[in-house]
Amino acid sequence: GAAPASGGAGGGGAKEADEKEEGDEEAEEDEASRLHPLRVRVTFRPAAREAAGRGEADGDGEAEEGEAADDGEVAEGGAELQLQFCCLASAGLLAAQLIDRPSSLLVNLFDLDSGADLPPATLPSGLAPDEALVALLPSVPFRWAQELGSDLPSGAVSAHALPALRRFEQVIDAISARVSARADLATELQHLEQRRTAPLPPAQPLMPPAPLVSALTAWTEVADPTELPPATVAALARAPAWRRVAERVFTATLERTPAGTASGAPPVRLSATLQLFADYPRARPAVSLSWLSPPARVAAGTTRALPPTLLPLASPAALRLAERHAGEAADNQLLQMEAELNAPAAEVDRQGAPYHLLWVLHRARMLLDVYLETEGVGGGATAAVCGTLCNRRVRGRDRRKPFHFSKTTSQFDQAI
């Protein structure tokens, strides 16, 4: 009888030892994920901004007044901001947040620093990277925060500490610029909700001599981009993953009723999907275009797009193959329009900054007008060859003559 009792006692001791070991491990995990009790809060005031209300001249030349925008998410000019730092001591990680402000204000202050990935650090055993990120919430361990923590002096400021202090000044300037950009974006979104696209000063867009005919008829923010058409979702994925953190996706519908056609003709409708990244306007909007109601040439298919005089020269088998795959054919003009809206040229920046979103939508309206005019719909019907933007009627040395816009053909012509 004594042996079993002894064995039972031994089993109970082992169980207690296991429980004690598990408790120690849990205590170590809690200690590893526990934040340091000290918080450092920096209060600063960004430079005052100009009033958001501005006058604008829309496509029809009528002036409209802009209204001050306040979406409740950005600081007004001169309002105090509080930047708070915390520390995960077990990993030596610093994290930052703006008190009572959206976390996206700090995303990608500098390139390749979205905060979605853990910076290089030595994590204690049992603490996974995801667990470290969760432990720091709502603060985020940005790379610039680690640089500040390693460079800032702990004592009296000396000459060798000036570069570190300048780095801190760069962070404050970047946050101030981000807050100002968000206020400008709120103004742009307010104008787009009212279907107004004319860029605000100081933008200087180059516009055609005639007023725009195409109009912005719909503007909505997409809550779940995965519900968009597959081709559009694939276009969104072109941007690198770090840049897409905290992105916003919008869809716009541009519409124009073909001129010179019978009454009741269906309008041409173009869909534009725009990605706005957290570091807008430093990162320009990414635009993808697709037809909702295409022009007659696109809807007719490849064979009908060929000039009648060339149809007899084409192989019947080739025509049948082209007809079968007409829906897969790319619209080169549409791709060129998309490329122009996404062009990162310095001239585009000069024309559109800082209200680049309005500039993009206004430019898209103009491009749709040009597309339809040169397709022979309306004024472009007098063009020598539909689908062209210019007429070169001379050869030899005379081909160097400059092109001039012709109101008669709605094209650029050398014969003037």
Side-chain angles (χ1 to χ4, degrees):
S6 176
K15 182 177 180 181
E16 292 177 359
D18 293 341
E19 292 177 352
K20 184 177 183 302
E21 184 176 351
E22 290 176 2
D24 293 341
E25 291 177 355
E26 292 178 358
E28 291 178 1
E29 292 178 1
D30 293 342
E31 183 66 26
S33 60
R34 184 177 293 117
L35 298 182
H36 194 282
L38 178 65
R39 303 289 190 275
V40 177
R41 183 173 296 182
V42 179
T43 302
F44 62 98
R45 190 183 299 274
R49 301 179 59 254
E50 295 180 1
R54 292 180 174 87
E56 100 171 80
D58 212 334
D60 56 2
E62 296 182 0
E64 301 181 10
E65 292 186 359
E67 299 178 359
D70 182 8
D71 60 356
E73 295 185 353
V74 296
E76 295 292 340
E80 284 189 349
L81 296 175
Q82 294 182 329
L83 178 64
Q84 179 172 286
F85 295 89
C86 66
C87 175
L88 185 62
S90 62
L93 285 173
L94 283 179
Q97 71 170 121
L98 279 176
I99 302 299
D100 297 329
R101 301 294 174 187
S103 59
S104 61
L105 281 172
L106 298 181
V107 172
N108 290 325
L109 275 183
F110 306 96
D111 286 345
L112 298 171
D113 196 4
S114 65
D117 299 319
L118 202 65
T122 303
L123 296 179
S125 59
L127 184 64
D130 292 343
E131 294 174 343
L133 290 173
V134 172
L136 289 166
L137 289 176
S139 300
V140 180
F142 296 104
R143 297 179 186 274
W144 53 262
Q146 318 312 311
E147 296 176 5
L148 291 179
S150 61
D151 293 340
L152 285 179
S154 56
V157 177
S158 57
H160 75 276
L162 291 180
L165 294 177
R166 291 193 181 99
R167 177 62 174 169
F168 190 83
E169 182 180 5
Q170 291 174 0
V171 171
I172 297 299
D173 290 343
I175 295 175
S176 300
R178 176 67 57 83
V179 170
S180 177
R182 288 296 175 88
D184 291 338
L185 175 59
T187 301
E188 290 184 282
L189 294 178
Q190 184 185 61
H191 281 236
L192 291 173
E193 289 172 358
Q194 299 170 359
R195 310 298 184 262
R196 298 152 59 188
T197 63
L200 300 173
Q204 300 293 331
L206 298 177
M207 300 305 299
L212 297 181
V213 179
S214 300
L216 175 66
T217 59
W219 173 260
T220 56
E221 184 169 4
V222 180
D224 185 5
T226 60
E227 296 180 355
L228 294 171
T232 304
V233 174
L236 297 179
R238 296 173 190 166
W242 64 268
R243 175 142 279 163
R244 297 194 60 188
V245 175
E247 71 174 357
R248 300 173 69 181
V249 179
F250 297 85
T251 58
T253 300
L254 307 178
E255 186 174 306
R256 169 174 165 152
T257 301
T261 58
S263 177
V268 175
R269 298 171 65 236
L270 178 66
S271 174
T273 303
L274 299 96
Q275 288 174 277
L276 283 185
F277 304 108
D279 53 346
Y280 170 85
R282 188 178 74 226
R284 298 311 188 195
V287 186
S288 58
L289 303 177
S290 60
W291 291 115
L292 295 176
S293 299
R297 179 190 64 81
V298 178
T302 305
T303 54
R304 295 185 184 181
L306 292 174
T309 56
L310 296 181
L311 283 175
L313 303 178
S315 167
L319 292 177
R320 288 194 300 271
L321 185 63
E323 185 72 26
R324 185 182 309 165
H325 297 280
E328 303 173 10
D331 187 343
N332 291 331
Q333 286 89 339
L334 190 65
L335 294 178
Q336 290 174 351
M337 293 165 58
E338 187 177 292
E340 180 171 340
L341 294 175
N342 289 308
E347 184 69 15
V348 174
D349 288 347
R350 183 187 67 80
Q351 293 180 42
Y355 299 102
H356 193 80
L357 182 60
L358 289 175
W359 183 91
V360 166
L361 270 301
H362 209 63
R363 189 75 168 182
R365 290 175 56 193
M366 186 198 74
L367 293 177
L368 181 58
D369 284 343
V370 172
Y371 183 107
L372 296 180
E373 292 286 339
T374 56
E375 281 297 310
V377 180
T382 57
V385 180
C386 293
T388 61
L389 293 175
C390 59
N391 294 326
R392 173 172 283 169
R393 305 179 187 273
V394 293
R395 295 292 182 267
R397 285 189 171 184
D398 290 341
R399 73 179 185 277
R400 302 175 183 173
K401 290 183 177 180
F403 288 92
H404 300 273
F405 186 79
S406 170
K407 293 184 178 179
T408 305
T409 63
S410 296
Q411 299 204 348
F412 293 91
D413 204 318
Q414 276 188 321
I416 298 178

